[in-house]
Each structure stands twice: as C-alpha cells, then as structure tokens.
Amino acid sequence: MKKVILASGVALMLGMGAAHAQEKTLTISVYAFAQDEFKKIVYDPFEKLCSCKLVVETGNSVERLAKMEANKANPVVDMAVVSMADALAATRSDLIEKIDTSKLSNFDKLYDIAKDPNGDGMSVGYTFYATSIAYRTDKMKIESWADLLKPEYVEHVAFPNVTTNQGPPALYMLGQALGKDSPDLKGAIEALGEKKDEIVTFYVKSSQLVQLMQQEEIWAAPIGRFSWAPFTKLDLPIGWATPKEGQTGGMNVMVLAKGSKNQELALQFMDFWLSTEVQAKLAEALVDSPANKEVKVSDQVANNITYGQETAESLKLIPSDVALDNRNAWLSEWNAKVGQ
C-alpha cells in the first residue's frame, strides 16, 4: 500500500509540475524574419528573466491570422506581432483585446505614433520604417514623388507592384504629389498606368533592385528603409530622397490575443521588447528601427534604419481602415490600368 501511495504522490507532484510549467509557457506569433537575432536579443534573455518557456510560431500574416481565427474559441497564441492594418483586421474579427498600457513601464518612452497606432487601444507599435526613393544623385534630382514620372526620368524608374508592402504607400505619396490623394488611389494608379510601358519594372522583391541599380538599368525606386543598406555598398552616388510631400512607410505592432490564459506574462514580454536596452540591441543589429525614443545609435547604424524624432513625426502612414477597406479595389484598379 505504501508503494501505491508513494507512486500516487509522485504522480501528483509531476502533475503539479506539468501544470506549473504549462502556466509559465508563453506562445508568441511573429514574422519569420531575423529569428536568430530575435532569439539572441529578445527570446533567450526573456526566458531567463521570467523563468518561463517561449514557444515561437512564425509565418506570414495571412497564415498566422488564419490560425488565430481557427482557434478563436480556445486561443493557442498569447500575443502576436502584425502590421497596423492586420491589427485592425484582427480587431474587427474579435481576435484581440485592449492592451492595459498602465502595465507597460516602457510605454511612455515610445514615439507618439507608436503608442496607439489605430486609435483604438488594441495595439502598440514596436518598430516602424520609412519609405522613400533611392536614387542616383548624379543622374537626377528628386524634390517630389511626382518627379518619378518626369519624361527625362521615367525610363529609368522601378516602381513597387501594388501587391507588395511598398506598393500602396508609394502610390499614396504619388497621389498626394499629383493632387489625387483619394483613398482608392485611382489617380496615382491611372498616372502610373499611362507610363507603364516606359517604367523599367514593377518589382515584387526589393533585392532585385540592387542589381538593376548596379547595372545602371534604373536610377530610382521607392523602397523601405530596411532595404537601404545594400545600396550604400554600391560604388555609386545613391541618395535617400526627402520629397516635399514627405515620406511614408509602415509600422508593425504588438497585439494581445483575446481569451489568452497568459495575458500578464504576455504584457511582461511586450514590455521587455519595448525596453530601451532591447530596442537598442535590435537597432544595432539592423533588425528593427526603434519605436522607443530613448534609443541612441551611431551615425552608421542610424543611416541604415528609420531613426529619430523628426523622422518619426514626418511619416505619413496609410490609415489602417483605408488600407483594409480599399485593398481589393486597389488590386482591381491596378490590374485594369497597369496589369501584371
């Protein structure tokens, strides 16, 4: 009988241990980008700090949001990082809930644009990037987004396809420059369509632009700042434009899964990620541009990321509701006026 009782006691202790371990497991849903760096800078240090286990799920936004939707009744993810627009989509689908920012000690350190990107309290920005024009300073002068369509320049331009992350923001700014800045982007798409046979390519991957620039097939292309570094290594005079209409870009945000059983731990993790130390290390590794305004980096690092108060305040981001409500119309208009 003693052996039975002892065995039961051990089983009970093991069961309690398993339950405890389960309580201290945090499941996060993130982009697949730079996971080795994130593991070293964010994940491993947090696990040591919280004495918990991080389960990291990666994938593109469509896949990850679909998984959250499929498990809506019994969430398998505690927190996720997505784009601003995807955060609003998750809100509309009732997949996430309001973030108690009073529990984020680093919240007040964020740039204003990152504190409540969608204005609904459902997300917090952790990184953003500028989108502008990389161009040959010896071949052209860029003072406006509309300069890309000038007769003397257009045959040396690459423009992002509307299906890419850079497509809609670039069209958004082109529309503003042309005085046709309606949410449907029709004016910008139509203007681009009129020049479609002259434009070198409507690119899908920014990596192809470096070779085109090196071969002097293009002189200019709208790109995200995160794609800028390879251009600086070319033995060519290439500049980053500051058009009079401003720069656009994008922001990635953190969200809290509705019904998560580990919300307190999720908030601790968010706060850790937003800390000055962690954001600085991610910036120095050229992984993410910091949303924490206390981060200080070298000039060399600053030149390869989106950095500083002035830049943060100047970004003209497409409102998430505009992006969500017009995505299908943008694609339809693009296919009609520009084609594949």
Side-chain angles (χ1 to χ4, degrees), residues 11-56:
L12 180 61
M13 289 175 66
L14 288 172
M16 289 174 64
H20 179 70
Q22 188 175 4
E23 288 170 6
K24 294 289 284 182
T25 298
L26 183 72
T27 302
I28 64 173
S29 175
V30 299
Y31 296 103
F33 168 74
Q35 283 304 293
D36 289 343
E37 289 84 354
F38 277 114
K39 186 176 189 304
K40 179 182 177 182
I41 297 170
V42 186
Y43 307 158
D44 289 351
F46 182 73
E47 283 186 329
K48 290 180 181 177
L49 185 69
C50 71
S51 298
C52 63
K53 178 177 175 56
L54 271 181
V55 176
V56 183

Side-chain angles (χ1 to χ4, degrees), residues 69 72 87-96:
E69 180 74 50
K72 186 174 180 178
L88 181 59
T91 297
R92 290 179 176 181
S93 297
D94 200 29
L95 300 178
I96 59 176

Side-chain angles (χ1 to χ4, degrees), residues 291-304:
N292 183 320
K293 61 188 176 186
E294 291 188 354
V295 171
K296 305 296 181 188
V297 298
S298 67
D299 290 344
Q300 183 179 0
V301 170
N303 192 45
N304 288 293

Side-chain angles (χ1 to χ4, degrees), residues 6-324:
L6 181 61
S8 299
V10 170
L12 180 61
M13 289 175 66
L14 288 172
M16 289 174 64
H20 179 70
Q22 188 175 4
E23 288 170 6
K24 294 289 284 182
T25 298
L26 183 72
T27 302
I28 64 173
S29 175
V30 299
Y31 296 103
F33 168 74
Q35 283 304 293
D36 289 343
E37 289 84 354
F38 277 114
K39 186 176 189 304
K40 179 182 177 182
I41 297 170
V42 186
Y43 307 158
D44 289 351
F46 182 73
E47 283 186 329
K48 290 180 181 177
L49 185 69
C50 71
S51 298
C52 63
K53 178 177 175 56
L54 271 181
V55 176
V56 183
E57 297 189 355
T58 62
N60 64 43
S61 295
V62 173
E63 296 167 344
R64 295 187 294 113
L65 285 174
K67 184 171 182 178
M68 290 178 71
E69 180 74 50
N71 294 278
K72 186 174 180 178
N74 187 25
V76 294
V77 165
D78 298 304
M79 68 84 69
V81 296
V82 294
S83 70
M84 279 174 55
D86 285 333
L88 181 59
T91 297
R92 290 179 176 181
S93 297
D94 200 29
L95 300 178
I96 59 176
E97 58 186 77
K98 190 159 286 192
I99 295 173
D100 184 354
T101 57
S102 68
K103 295 182 178 179
L104 301 178
S105 64
N106 293 298
F107 182 74
D108 289 336
K109 299 177 185 178
L110 301 179
Y111 290 112
D112 288 343
I113 63 168
K115 288 180 177 177
D116 187 10
N118 288 328
D120 55 9
M122 306 293 280
S123 61
V124 174
Y126 69 94
T127 187
F128 51 81
Y129 62 84
T131 292
S132 190
I133 303 163
Y135 73 106
R136 285 283 298 270
T137 56
D138 61 329
K139 300 284 189 181
M140 58 202 307
K141 192 173 184 180
I142 298 291
E143 296 177 332
S144 166
W145 283 84
D147 290 341
L148 290 172
L149 301 185
K150 282 186 173 180
E152 62 268 35
Y153 296 155
V154 70
E155 292 183 352
H156 304 281
V157 167
F159 201 90
N161 192 289
V162 74
T163 59
T164 67
N165 287 336
Q166 303 310 304
L171 286 165
Y172 179 61
M173 295 310 297
L174 180 61
Q176 291 204 1
L178 297 172
K180 302 176 180 180
D181 57 349
S182 57
D184 57 22
L185 301 181
K186 280 189 175 182
I189 293 174
E190 185 174 353
L192 208 61
E194 291 173 358
K195 304 282 187 177
K196 66 179 181 180
D197 293 331
E198 298 169 73
I199 290 173
V200 176
T201 185
F202 294 101
Y203 76 85
V204 175
K205 293 184 178 180
S206 59
S207 55
Q208 72 187 100
L209 299 177
V210 178
Q211 184 176 358
L212 289 173
M213 189 77 80
Q214 189 171 28
Q215 295 171 344
E216 302 200 22
E217 291 185 46
I218 64 169
W219 294 348
I223 63 168
R225 190 69 176 187
F226 53 83
S227 301
W228 170 242
F231 290 92
T232 66
K233 297 173 183 175
L234 296 177
D235 188 23
L236 293 169
I238 300 175
W240 180 266
T242 52
K244 62 185 180 182
E245 298 86 13
Q247 300 180 64
T248 181
M251 182 182 299
N252 290 336
V253 302
M254 299 174 169
V255 296
L256 187 63
K258 187 165 187 177
S260 159
K261 298 177 178 64
N262 298 297
Q263 290 191 5
E264 291 301 317
L265 191 57
L267 288 169
Q268 289 175 34
F269 178 66
M270 289 181 183
D271 200 35
F272 179 74
W273 195 333
L274 296 173
S275 68
T276 306
E277 181 182 1
V278 170
Q279 291 253 307
K281 287 180 178 178
L282 289 170
E284 287 161 2
L286 304 183
V287 172
D288 272 342
S289 298
N292 183 320
K293 61 188 176 186
E294 291 188 354
V295 171
K296 305 296 181 188
V297 298
S298 67
D299 290 344
Q300 183 179 0
V301 170
N303 192 45
N304 288 293
I305 61 175
T306 302
Y307 177 74
Q309 183 86 33
E310 184 178 350
T311 301
E313 291 177 351
S314 71
L315 295 183
K316 294 182 178 179
L317 306 181
I318 297 180
S320 294
D321 58 340
V322 170
L324 283 186

